[in-house]
């Protein structure tokens, strides 16, 4: 009989026969025990799907990876601590000193910062290109091009890129193509089916859906590339929490319903916002005037609930003060959660290829799952406050 101290430390095995659950079990592990010394010594022979150490996955993390892989129509998915980490890991794994990476001018600003600071330090050239000009991209591609990055729609300003055309060009030059698909998710766009080699998702947003987890994913369509990325992430010591994966799996179950509602309400709000005299234009791929709209209609299955508003020169200076009148929309970054968000975004400093036309401030809105009526009233409240602030400014 073991002592009480030993009994406290050892967990008894219980039968799972006859038990089933619709929820995914949370398997937390650093150490994974082996049956015997031989199994431990030959653990690397288990392959990329085998279990050897918690950093490389548990049944919980593998369940999320498998679910994402099937949605993306890919070969393998790997998880990272954030969407930004997914992008930087993909670039660091695939690029080396002397290589060139092509990045759209409308890319998520932290990616630009990473390229300008860290890739440059490693001797990797980041060349920025107009996201809607294939000919300009071709001219920018040098003989050292190894990766073309795509973000479609573009961060904040929502330009849609012609991924099939970009992929054809890149592959002809011997470069891989990666795509940030966080706005659309695989429910509305499948980059791997349109020529991309790599697709990255910010699981923080629509997948999780509740603004309480930060995570990213990398999905590829080539097994060798998957192994290369898996080994790189292992060497970097990059892993994710099984508890966080369980939360993303829970959020994923309602993602289609949430996104359908988000898109429907966004379309309704946009219709009202476009009528306001203080609005210069609304940026949203489903609108004909948004750059790349024809590509969106051809390749995408739908829209999400994220769009941006550009204000007239007279109104723009007063937007920040008017945002304090909001009661339902929360002022904050990110998107895709249950709460609607408003984020004033500067644009001009993050453009180097083609200057941004219009006021520097763009208001990005993300629709949550609140009542459509309440959200519409909150938008009206904002515009009433905006007009009041404009009147005050004229009176000074």
């Amino acid at each position: 009989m073991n002592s009480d101290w030993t009994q406290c430390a050892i967990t008894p095995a219980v039968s799972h026969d006859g038990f089933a659950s619709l929820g995914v079990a949370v398997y937390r592990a650093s150490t994974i025990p082996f049956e015997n010394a031989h199994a431990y010594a030959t653990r690397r022979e288990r392959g990329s799907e085998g279990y050897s150490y918690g950093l490389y996955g548990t049944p919980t993390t593998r369940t999320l990876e498998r679910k994402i892989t099937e949605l993306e129509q890919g070969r393998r998915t790997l998880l990272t601590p954030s969407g930004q980490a997914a992008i930087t890991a993909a670039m660091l794994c695939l690029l080396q000193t002397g290589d060139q990476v092509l990045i759209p001018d409308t890319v998520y600003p932290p990616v630009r910062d990473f390229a300008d600071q860290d890739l440059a330090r490693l001797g990797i050239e980041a060349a920025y290109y107009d996201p809607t000009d294939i000919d300009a991209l071709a001219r920018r591609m040098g003989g050292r091009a190894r990766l073309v990055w795509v973000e479609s729609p573009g961060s904040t300003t929502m330009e849609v890129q012609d991924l099939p055309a970009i992929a054809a060009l890149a592959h002809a030059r011997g470069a891989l193509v990666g795509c940030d698909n966080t706005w659309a998710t695989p429910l509305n766009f499948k980059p791997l089916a349109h020529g991309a080699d790599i697709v990255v998702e910010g699981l923080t947003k629509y997948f999780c859906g509740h603004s309480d987890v930060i995570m990213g994913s990398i999905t590829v369509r080539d097994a060798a590339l998957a192994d290369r990325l898996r080994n790189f992430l292992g060497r970097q010591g990059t892993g994710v929490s099984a508890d966080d994966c369980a939360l993303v799996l829970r959020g994923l179950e309602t993602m289609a319903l949430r996104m359908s509602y988000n898109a429907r309400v966004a379309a309704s709000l946009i219709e009202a916002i476009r009528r306001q005299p203080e609005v210069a234009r609304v940026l949203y791929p489903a609108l004909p005037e948004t750059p790349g709209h024809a590509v969106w209609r051809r390749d995408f299955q739908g829209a999400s609930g994220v769009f941006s508003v550009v204000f007239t020169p007279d109104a723009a200076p007063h937007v920040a003060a008017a945002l304090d009148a909001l009661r339902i929309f929360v002022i904050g970054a990110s998107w895709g959660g249950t709460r609607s968000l408003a984020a004033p975004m500067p644009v001009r400093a993050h453009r180097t290829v083609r200057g941004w036309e219009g006021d520097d401030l763009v208001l990005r809105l993300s629709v949550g799952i609140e009542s459509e009526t309440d959200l519409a009233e909150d938008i009206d409240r904002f515009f009433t406050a905006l007009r009041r602030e404009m009147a005050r400014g004229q009176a000074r």
Side-chain angles (χ1 to χ4, degrees), residues 52-320:
S52 60
Y53 191 66
L55 178 66
Y56 296 97
T58 72
T60 309
T61 60
R62 295 284 171 81
T63 300
L64 178 56
E65 289 174 351
R66 180 72 60 82
K67 202 163 188 175
I68 295 171
T69 300
E70 291 174 354
L71 284 170
E72 301 281 12
Q73 297 179 356
R75 183 65 178 268
R76 177 77 189 269
T77 294
L78 300 159
L79 302 175
T80 61
S82 69
Q84 172 74 355
I87 296 169
T88 59
M91 290 187 179
L92 288 172
C93 177
L94 299 174
L95 300 170
Q96 60 185 1
T97 300
D99 287 347
Q100 181 194 53
V101 56
L102 285 299
I103 299 174
D105 201 35
T106 51
V107 75
Y108 178 50
V111 176
R112 179 185 288 268
D113 192 37
F114 165 75
D116 292 345
Q117 299 294 326
D118 300 298
L119 293 185
R121 176 171 49 83
L122 297 172
I124 298 168
E125 178 198 357
Y128 296 95
Y129 67 93
D130 185 327
T132 60
D133 190 337
I134 299 295
D135 292 336
L137 172 61
R139 291 192 296 271
R140 294 290 285 163
M141 289 185 72
R144 298 178 291 109
R146 295 294 177 266
L147 178 65
V148 177
W149 198 254
V150 171
E151 183 177 326
S152 184
S155 185
T156 304
T157 48
M158 302 288 161
E159 297 87 347
V160 179
Q161 297 187 249
D162 191 338
L163 180 54
I166 291 172
L169 172 64
H171 292 156
R173 304 284 184 92
L176 295 174
V177 177
C179 179
D180 183 342
N181 194 46
T182 304
W183 182 90
T185 81
L187 295 181
N188 287 324
F189 185 54
K190 298 188 187 298
L192 297 181
H194 288 81
D197 303 286
I198 304 161
V199 57
V200 162
E201 304 282 356
L203 305 182
T204 306
K205 298 177 170 64
Y206 281 118
F207 278 79
C208 172
H210 292 78
S211 305
D212 56 2
V213 171
I214 298 176
M215 193 181 294
S217 66
I218 310 170
T219 305
V220 298
R221 59 179 180 179
D222 177 73
L225 181 55
D227 288 342
R228 187 175 170 187
L229 283 163
R230 178 181 180 273
N231 293 336
F232 174 81
L233 291 172
R235 292 194 300 273
Q236 295 292 309
T238 300
V240 297
S241 158
D243 293 87
D244 285 349
C245 288
L247 290 174
V248 176
L249 282 162
R250 176 181 287 187
L252 225 169
E253 292 182 6
T254 62
M255 184 168 71
L257 292 171
R258 289 184 283 104
M259 289 194 71
S260 177
Y261 180 79
N262 298 154
R264 181 176 66 79
V265 175
S268 175
L269 295 179
I270 288 170
E271 184 177 350
I273 290 171
R274 294 174 77 192
R275 294 196 296 265
Q276 307 304 316
E278 298 81 13
V279 172
R281 64 188 189 277
V282 174
L283 307 175
Y284 190 56
L287 298 177
E289 61 267 29
T290 299
H293 169 74
V295 174
W296 175 81
R297 288 192 61 184
R298 184 193 70 194
D299 294 344
F300 285 63
Q301 300 302 308
S304 75
V306 182
F307 60 94
S308 297
V309 182
V310 181
F311 294 87
T312 62
D314 290 340
H318 306 284
V319 168

